[in-house]
Amino acid sequence: MPPRTDFNGADHPETTAARRKVLLIGADERYLRVGGDRFFSTGNHPVETLLPVLHLQAAGYEIEVATASAI
């Protein structure tokens, strides 16, 4: 795996539909309780979350972010 992600040169034609929104639901911890004693591994590497967000924004999508925890 390369030491960095190359975003430059990616082709992102703007969406021609009405302004689209994406809801990104983030987790504060690597393991998210999904019921009873079961957990879902959310991953914990920022590139897994932020790189797709950059591509979606470049294609014209608006990103809204929510988390499961209260601040």
Side-chain angles (χ1 to χ4, degrees), residues 15 17-22 60-63:
T15 179
R19 188 73 175 169
R20 304 286 180 157
K21 291 184 179 181
V22 173
Y61 289 86
E62 182 179 338
I63 309 297

Side-chain angles (χ1 to χ4, degrees), residues 23-37:
L23 176 61
L24 178 126
I25 301 174
D28 298 333
E29 302 290 335
R30 180 173 180 193
Y31 295 104
L32 179 67
R33 184 184 298 271
V34 292
D37 292 330

Side-chain angles (χ1 to χ4, degrees), residues 3-4 9 14-15 19 24 29 33 38 43 47 52 54 61 64 67 69-71:
R4 67 179 193 187
E14 285 272 334
T15 179
R19 188 73 175 169
L24 178 126
E29 302 290 335
R33 184 184 298 271
R38 298 184 59 180
V47 171
L54 286 174
Y61 289 86
E64 292 191 23
T67 61
S69 66
I71 296 177

Side-chain angles (χ1 to χ4, degrees), residues 5-7 10-12 50-61:
T5 301
D6 187 13
F7 181 73
D11 183 23
H12 297 93
L50 300 177
L51 184 62
V53 168
L54 286 174
H55 286 283
L56 288 166
Q57 284 182 320
Y61 289 86

